[in-house]
Amino acid sequence: MAIISRDKIVEGLVNILGKDNVITDEKVLKESSIDRYRKYEQVMEVYTQPIPAAVVYVHSTEEVSEVLKFANDNQINVVPRTGHSAIEGGLETALEDSIVIDGSTMNKVLKVDKYNMQVTCQCGVPLQSLDDMLREQGYTTGHSPQSKPLAQMGGLVATRSIGQFSTLYGGIEDMIIGLEAVFPNGKICRIKNVPRRAAGPDIRHIICGNEGALCFITEVTVKMFKYMPENNRLIGYKLDDMKLGFDCLREVMVAGYKPSIARLYDAADAGMHFSSWLEDGKCVLIWMAEGPAGITEATEKGIKELMSAHPELEPVDPKILENWFAGLNWGPEQIAQEAEEIKATKNIGITTEVSGSWDCIYEIYKTACDRILEEVPDMTLMGGHSSHSYMTGTNMYFVYYYNVVDCPPEEEINKYHDRINQIICEQVIKYGGSIVHHHGLGKARAKYVHEEYGSSFYMLDTLKKAFDPNGIMNMGTLIPLRK
Ligand SMILES: Cc1cc2nc3c(=O)[nH]c(=O)nc-3n(C[C@H](O)[C@H](O)[C@H](O)COP(=O)(O)OP(=O)(O)OC[C@H]3O[C@@H](n4cnc5c(N)ncnc54)[C@H](O)[C@@H]3O)c2cc1C
């Protein structure tokens, strides 16, 4: 792949960025060759992917441009990175002598524009600190993925991430106003901040979701919303089955209500969150209304009216749901604790998220769970929840645990994780859903890209070839490597 040696790559990078910003420490390089898709290998400190030549820290758009141009001229694979919370292999350095470009040092909030309700920041601004800062001033981004304490703005846009209040605020694609990105030839492109445009296709969406396979995102402008947590209303129910739960989600969405949270846990997943008060075998349905008082009151009233038509639903005291939400997000502490537990028990928990229209989501959920429990060994839990609903359908977030039995770390992915992913993808494709709702294709699910895209794969492939003709941007992500 690269047309110069590893030493020359490092030398070229030092010339551009200075010695202190070019890291070649072996431990750092190994840790930077993977992400949480290889969680078991990571915990067991067994590294199976090619080790990068260097991890570099960039401080400006111009530095990103120079590094990309150097990589492009010398055909060196680059892997963009910000928060390092990826879970689908997007950060794996799949080719020898790659460069990991870390944008977490580009961490300035550039402008808080309260009049036009938008905030501009560099790619390495952590979402948690941005939202905390805005909330102190009475505003919020409305974006709240479970990885909020880890993820940064560049990665959040690059993966088309979504947060727990998405049913009201939308995914990141609904929040982006404008962007700046650098392409492999060093070209810096800015998409200006306007409320809407019809000047041809919406090119923000070539950048949003590119997963580092087309360009490096350097700056992001997103919407701000008024923050009014005092008006929040939580509504919860217990119920016996998921089919009814999906019907309830659909009724509220189709009626035109916009709760911020619309969640349905199956019995297995609910058991992990609510065991202190929930009977075995029960599912849980949760809504939250958010925003100005008049709207939240009307939303709460409307949802309760619709749900009252189902006598099978058993109301839950909203107070017991408040603690549930407070403990949902994951930061470094939870990651470290999980690693200790995996080491001690060899029991590992993974998630896979998909979406489907209302007419197929139950079949996707049911048949995937049934097949996995039947076909995959050593499963200790199989379940999930729906957490993002739309007028036209919803997502399913499969949650599963298995014991790693008689299996060296380097074989765990093949024996368990990929097999489970394969079953989920097969069932989703069979019933016509999308195999990825929000974590990105990464490298883990890139092998299904043709089935996912169908005839529109032509468009993705053409974009890749046009923007990255030398094939240096995060190869193996979105589109699998050719053997
Ligand atoms: C515990 C946990 C919970 C999670 N919960 C959610 C959730 O609720 N919702 C959700 O959507 N996701 C979730 N994720 C997945 C992950 O946090 C998101 O994909 C997040 O958007 C990644 O942001 P990051 O800054 O960590 O990016 P990274 O992990 O650094 O990178 C992610 C991908 O984006 C690319 N990338 C990173 N920065 C740039 C850049 N500047 N330019 C171009 N490409 C770039 C990388 O190459 C990689 O492919 C979760 C992950 C964990 C570990």
Side-chain angles (χ1 to χ4, degrees), residues 35-36 79-87 89-91 101 103 123 143-148 150-164 210-213 215-218 329-331 335 388 397 438-440 442-443 473-474 477:
D35 58 34
R36 284 174 59 80
V79 177
R81 177 173 94 182
T82 49
H84 207 167
S85 69
I87 42 184
L91 295 177
I101 308 182
C123 60
H143 203 40
S144 186
Q146 201 195 358
S147 54
K148 189 173 176 183
L150 304 165
Q152 300 175 2
M153 293 310 286
L156 288 159
V157 172
T159 52
R160 282 178 74 84
S161 60
I162 202 163
Q164 288 134 345
N210 89 82
E211 297 188 43
C215 59
F216 191 104
I217 300 161
T218 45
N329 288 352
W330 274 51
I335 302 270
H388 308 277
Y397 191 81
H438 60 267
H439 287 162
K443 296 184 181 71
M473 295 300 293
N474 207 354
T477 289

Side-chain angles (χ1 to χ4, degrees), residues 254-267:
V254 168
Y257 291 104
K258 287 232 162 221
S260 57
I261 293 177
R263 263 192 194 232
L264 170 67
Y265 283 94
D266 80 352

